[in-house]
Every structure is written in C-alpha cells, then in structure tokens.
Amino acid sequence: MRINGKWLATTAILTIGIALAPPPALHAQTGVALMGQVSSSEEGAMEGVLVSARKTGASFTVTVVSDDKGHYAFPAAKLEPGHYTLSIRAAGYDPEGTLAADVSADKPASADIKLHKTNKLASQLSNGEWIMSVPGSEQQKMNLTNCVSCHTVERIVRSTHNADEFAEQVLPRMARYANQSMPIHPQVRQAERLLEERGDQRKQAQLATAKFLASINLSESDTWKYELKTLPRPKGRATHVIITEYDLPRSTAEPHDVIVDRQGIAWYSNFGEQTFGKLDPKTGKVTEFQVPELKKGWPTGMLGLRADKDDNMWIGMMYQGAMAKFDPKAEKFQIFNLPPEMNKDMAQVNMVRAESIGVDGKVWSQNNGFAAVHRLDVASGAIETIAPFKNAGVGENHNIYDIMPDSHNNVYFTDIAADYIGRVDSKTSEVKLYPMPTKPAGPRRGMMDGQDRVWFGEFRGNKIGMFDTKAEKFQEWTMPTPWSAPYDVTLDKNGEAWTGSMFNDMVDRLDPNTGKVTEYLLPRETNIRRVFVDNSTSPVTFWVGNNHRSAIVKLEPLD
C-alpha cells in the first residue's frame, strides 16, 4: 500500500473570522474568496507552502502557494461558495490542528495556518528526495529510476526484504510486470522485450541491485541509517501559480498522456485499462470510451496520444499491437493492426505520430518491443516496417522511445538505450544516427517545433535537450535540481520549454535564452509522463496526467 502522508488532508473547521486582517496587497484585490497567512514558530511567516482547498462533494482540488510574507489567496473564480477542507504541502511540517473554511459569496473568508515540525518526515519525501537521501553511487541510485514507473521509492525503503529475497523473489517478479502496472493493478507481460529500456536485469545485475536495495531499506534495523534530505520550498516566481487537480472515476485509471483540444476539452490515454477519456474542465465531468481489446490475455492500456490536423486523436495501443484513430465528432475508433509478421508476443506500439499526415497521408509509429519504426498508409491501411538498427554491432543495445515527424514527415527518434537522436528519411527510408553530447543521456520523449528542432527530455542526463535538424547540432540545459530526470519536453508560444519528472513532483519552465528555470512544486506525489501546454490562454496553461494518482493536473502560471 502506498503511503499518502504527503497529502496532509484535514477535516475539521479552523476558526474563521475578522480577527485576521488581510495583507495590504489584498485590500486592493477584488474577487478573493479565501485568504490567510502561513507561519510557524521555527520560521515565522513561511514562503512556498502549498495550500489546497477542496469543496465538500467536489471532484477537484485547487491549490495556491504562499508568498514571501506567508500570505496566500484563492481567487473567487476558483472557489465557489461552500465548505472546504484545507491541506498543505511543506516538507518537514504538519499543520497545528485541523483545517477547513466556509466560503461565502458576499465577502472573503480568512484562515491563518499555523505549522509545526513534523515527526513523520519519511512520509513526506518525494522520490527525488529519497534518491538524494540514500547512500550509494550514482549508478546504484540510477537503478532506482527503473522502479518509479510502477511505484514510489518510499515503497522500497520501507520494505524489509534482504538481499537474497530481492534477488530470488522480488526482482524477478518485478521484471515480469508490464510497465503500466501499479501495486493495485499489476499486469504480466506475455514476452520479454528484445531490447529493454529499463536496462539489463540479468542475474549478475540483479544480484548487485538486490544488495544495494537491502542496504537502504529496513531489513536490518527499525529506522534508516542515513539522514533524510529535503529540497527547498518554492520561492519568487515559483509561488505565482494556481493548480487544479481533477479526479478520474477509478483509482486504477492511469492518465499517461493528456492533451487539450481547440474547444478546451482535455483528452487522456489510460495507461492501464482499455478506456480512452475526456475531461470537461469547466464542470469536472469525465466521459470514457471503451477501446477494443484485440489480444485477450495481453496487458491492457494505451500510451502515446497526439492529434492530427483534423483533430482526430491517434493512440498507441501498446501490447495490443495496434494504432487507434478516434474521431471525436463521431465518437468512433478505427483500428490499424500490425501485420502478422510484426505482431509478435513482445510487440509494443507506444507512440503514434500523425502531425504531418497532410504531407503524404502517412502516420508514423514505433515498436518498443523490438526497436522498429512503422509507417501506416492511412488510405490503404498498409503498414511498412523499418529496422533502424539492423546493422548494429554485436553487443550494441538500442531502443526507440519516442518519434517526432518534421514538417516534411521525415521522422526523428530518441534512442534511450544508446544515447542517439535518429532520423528516417520519408522518401528513401535511409537511417542516420546523431550521437548525444551527454552520456548517459537517456533521451526519452519530446516534440518537433515550428523550426524543425527536436526538443526532448534527457532522463538520465538531468537535462533538456534540443537538436537543430537543419544545422545538425545539439544544445542542452541542465536542470537546477538533482534527479529532476526530464521525461518529456514541450515548447510554448513564447519559446519557453516545459518539462516534468517522475521523481521530484515538480514542473520545470525553462527560458532557453537565459537558461533560467522556474520550478513549480505540485501538491502531492505526481508521476509525470507526457507534458502539454495550451497556448490559447494567456499566460499559457500547463497540463499533465498524474499517472499513479488517477488525476489530471492543470497548472496556471500567473505570469
């Protein structure tokens, strides 16, 4: 069972009244629904504390962040009248007493929040903070990054397995699970992938990993023999934000990719189940569509989600061995199965990219099961396969994670195993590989911008990368926080790059011109995968799925 200590939800009413005078800056504001100050005896007024409010009976939670005077304020547009449970996130602190507020339509409610040092710090750490805290080499800690696809690092360090149990029971069992598994919904693969992006888990490597895991958990003592480390709270620009989390109908729903259409509806691929869904942010209503199950007994769920020029949604059906096109107007699926010779037991169609379908009527996909690229002719339904690594040398390990078509529908791909950006020519099928400047880099997911530049996350390099396809040159920006491990990158209309992490519950906003990064902390453990920016708003709005907490997150920067 996952520990939920980070989400310090509380239920009773804190005294609300006129005793709290609003700060001068708020006197001039209009439309404030709830405000107050956060403080502690240790620090006084506290900047960077996340304050969350959830109305009784609602399916979403709204969060703001305290400023450098400790003040927080919820706009009236975000909180309608009613009774609200309040909660906080501030590593190392708990609230004194229980918190709630009654919001009315005629005047702002006010609530001071007093915090004290916690005695349950371990339940508040992010994955990244655990990795920072545990002793070990960089490579040993890198092994922990293979675990968070399915569960938290906290689950490992709280375990009591010894090295033999890890080596003989736990690690072999974990290696059999499909990557869309969760503790509450495990799924077993039907075959091992030929090129495994999680790294070599053979017996010798498993034994070394097992010894490391047993050295950092509770197998030999009742407490950890190392100091628990925390990251600083948000400051300055990182506090200028409003975050809304929308619950999905079931705890087993895994919103892996989230994108927003031109009508403002958020669509999501369900990583672990055969459903595809949409969320109306205005009402919180979720609508689900059943996706055909093509291969009974194989793991269910979908990964990549992208829209084409006509707003059709294209989805990678993973172990089901197919691509799906969903027409939002007709609310119907069209399924394109891999040809029989390619639809092997280990076939795994993760990504489908139709952004440049208007060039030649072709849609690209990749196969993570055996490192191939597929190209679908939509008119005929024919699918051809290109093997970029057919001439790889003995002992070379390659695997394709994401694919990104350019304006001419050539496709570029990330080789997460061997640290290359690759290119397949749309006319000749010629393959070219560009070695990454950073090793290990672990290029994962990304996008093609309007200048045909590839932006991508360097999962192992802790960087945002950009490859200029015309100049054939790389540029990289290091993330300021260790173990940020960028998963995906998207560029907004202002030229800023956004990314997120499975480790530190942060959303990073990079200005490529200055190299400055703003890090927004999210209200709870958030297993971030695909990232999306809605450029129709001003400022832009960031969207992401919380893959392990069955929620969709909307982050609205205030500047």
Side-chain angles (χ1 to χ4, degrees):
M1 181 178 299
R2 179 174 289 109
I3 304 299
N4 295 323
K6 292 193 209 74
W7 187 243
L8 302 174
T10 51
T11 55
I13 299 178
L14 181 73
T15 303
I16 307 296
I18 59 173
L20 173 68
L26 294 181
H27 276 304
Q29 292 186 17
T30 58
V32 173
L34 170 65
M35 57 189 176
Q37 185 178 55
V38 185
S39 63
S40 66
S41 58
E42 291 83 1
E43 296 188 33
M46 296 178 65
E47 182 179 14
V49 176
L50 277 66
V51 181
S52 300
R54 186 182 182 96
K55 185 182 177 184
T56 301
S59 61
F60 58 90
T61 302
V62 183
T63 299
V64 297
V65 188
S66 61
D67 64 16
D68 59 354
K69 302 295 189 298
H71 300 140
Y72 72 90
F74 288 89
K78 298 297 181 182
L79 300 187
E80 61 184 22
H83 179 73
Y84 285 82
T85 297
L86 306 181
S87 55
I88 64 100
R89 184 173 191 177
Y93 286 91
D94 287 327
E96 290 187 359
T98 51
L99 312 173
D102 291 302
V103 173
S104 64
D106 54 350
K107 63 179 181 179
S110 58
D112 277 347
I113 298 175
K114 194 77 171 176
L115 305 182
H116 65 267
K117 284 288 187 178
T118 185
N119 59 4
K120 300 177 181 179
L121 180 61
S123 65
Q124 298 180 358
L125 298 189
S126 67
N127 289 323
E129 288 167 326
W130 274 114
I131 296 175
M132 288 169 49
S133 299
V134 300
S137 68
E138 192 85 356
Q139 183 54 53
Q140 286 176 316
K141 293 187 178 190
M142 191 70 73
N143 289 329
L144 295 171
T145 68
N146 300 326
C147 305
V148 296
S149 179
C150 299
H151 56 74
T152 62
V153 174
E154 182 182 0
R155 189 178 182 89
I156 300 169
V157 297
R158 285 189 182 275
S159 73
T160 57
H161 299 294
N162 60 32
D164 288 342
E165 290 170 337
F166 271 122
E168 296 170 10
Q169 302 172 28
V170 180
L171 293 179
R173 185 175 73 249
M174 295 295 151
R176 294 180 59 227
Y177 290 141
N179 45 328
Q180 59 263 57
S181 294
M182 291 194 298
I184 61 173
H185 186 207
Q187 300 195 68
V188 177
R189 303 183 194 195
Q190 294 298 309
E192 183 179 358
R193 286 181 283 190
L194 297 184
L195 292 168
E196 172 63 71
E197 90 270 13
R198 294 184 188 180
D200 183 13
Q201 293 187 359
R202 302 302 179 199
K203 190 171 183 178
Q204 185 175 1
Q206 280 188 343
L207 182 58
T209 299
K211 291 179 179 178
F212 169 64
L213 297 181
S215 74
I216 63 173
N217 73 352
L218 299 178
S219 58
E220 297 181 356
S221 65
D222 294 331
T223 188
W224 298 282
K225 299 177 182 179
Y226 46 86
E227 178 187 1
L228 302 187
K229 300 176 182 178
T230 61
L231 292 169
R233 294 194 305 273
K235 291 183 178 295
R237 191 187 192 195
T239 68
H240 305 163
V241 65
I242 300 173
I243 301 164
T244 307
E245 299 171 283
Y246 301 90
D247 294 343
L248 296 182
R250 296 173 309 286
S251 59
T252 51
E254 299 178 62
H256 194 285
D257 284 23
V258 176
I259 65 175
V260 178
D261 67 18
R262 290 181 237 200
Q263 287 71 49
I265 300 298
W267 297 82
Y268 64 93
S269 57
N270 189 340
F271 196 38
E273 301 173 323
Q274 284 305 103
T275 61
F276 174 61
K278 67 176 181 178
L279 162 75
D280 184 343
K282 295 180 180 178
T283 64
K285 180 183 177 181
V286 175
T287 304
E288 293 186 301
F289 305 92
Q290 194 67 35
V291 184
E293 187 173 353
L294 309 174
K295 298 169 73 172
K296 299 291 184 180
W298 266 254
T300 55
M302 288 142 284
L303 201 153
L305 170 62
R306 300 278 180 165
D308 66 19
K309 61 183 179 63
D310 298 319
D311 296 332
N312 297 302
M313 303 290 170
W314 289 83
I315 313 164
M317 292 181 65
M318 297 193 71
Y319 295 100
Q320 298 293 309
M323 306 171 228
K325 173 188 173 185
F326 182 77
D327 183 338
K329 296 177 182 176
E331 296 186 349
K332 291 183 178 180
F333 289 98
Q334 185 178 4
I335 306 297
F336 301 91
N337 287 284
L338 290 179
E341 68 273 13
M342 289 292 108
N343 210 340
K344 305 174 184 179
D345 285 350
M346 75 288 292
Q348 186 180 335
V349 181
N350 289 350
M351 314 300 180
V352 183
R353 303 299 290 262
E355 294 97 309
S356 297
I357 190 175
V359 175
D360 53 12
K362 305 287 181 67
V363 173
W364 293 97
S365 69
Q366 53 71 265
N367 198 312
N368 200 230
F370 43 87
V373 174
H374 304 298
R375 180 164 54 177
L376 164 69
D377 185 312
V378 178
S380 68
I383 297 176
E384 62 178 308
T385 299
I386 300 164
F389 310 117
K390 60 183 178 182
N391 296 320
V394 176
E396 288 186 28
N397 290 320
H398 298 270
N399 209 353
I400 300 171
Y401 204 88
D402 202 2
I403 51 175
M404 290 111 352
D406 67 13
S407 59
H408 303 288
N409 214 16
N410 305 301
V411 73
Y412 288 78
F413 59 84
T414 56
D415 181 352
I416 190 172
D419 298 321
Y420 288 97
I421 298 297
R423 178 185 188 271
V424 179
D425 188 280
S426 62
K427 294 183 173 61
T428 66
S429 297
E430 178 186 2
V431 176
K432 188 171 183 180
L433 297 176
Y434 303 91
M436 295 282 302
T438 292
K439 290 182 183 296
R444 207 151 188 172
R445 296 189 71 178
M447 67 165 289
M448 187 76 66
D449 70 13
Q451 301 178 51
D452 278 347
R453 298 180 301 177
V454 181
W455 293 82
F456 54 93
E458 296 187 26
F459 185 72
R460 299 187 186 106
N462 205 46
K463 297 178 180 181
I464 287 176
M466 185 272 287
F467 179 66
D468 187 324
T469 65
K470 297 174 182 176
E472 297 187 347
K473 291 183 178 179
F474 287 93
Q475 190 172 357
E476 298 175 311
W477 296 265
T478 300
M479 295 297 96
T481 298
W483 303 102
S484 292
Y487 183 95
D488 183 26
V489 176
T490 189
L491 201 68
D492 70 19
K493 63 184 178 182
N494 304 310
E496 291 188 304
W498 296 74
T499 189
S501 171
M502 291 196 285
F503 300 108
N504 60 20
D505 307 332
M506 289 181 183
V507 172
D508 287 357
R509 178 185 187 180
L510 164 72
D511 182 341
N513 296 318
T514 64
K516 183 178 181 181
V517 177
T518 302
E519 297 179 302
Y520 301 100
L521 180 63
L522 297 177
R524 57 178 174 165
E525 189 252 321
T526 305
N527 192 266
I528 292 177
R529 309 296 179 95
R530 168 91 169 98
V531 298
F532 182 87
V533 169
D534 180 2
N535 284 308
S536 68
T537 63
S538 186
V540 301
T541 305
F542 177 92
W543 291 82
V544 73
N546 188 340
N547 194 65
H548 286 171
R549 293 299 186 92
S550 191
I552 290 176
V553 180
K554 177 176 69 172
L555 185 149
E556 299 173 273
L558 302 180
D559 54 16

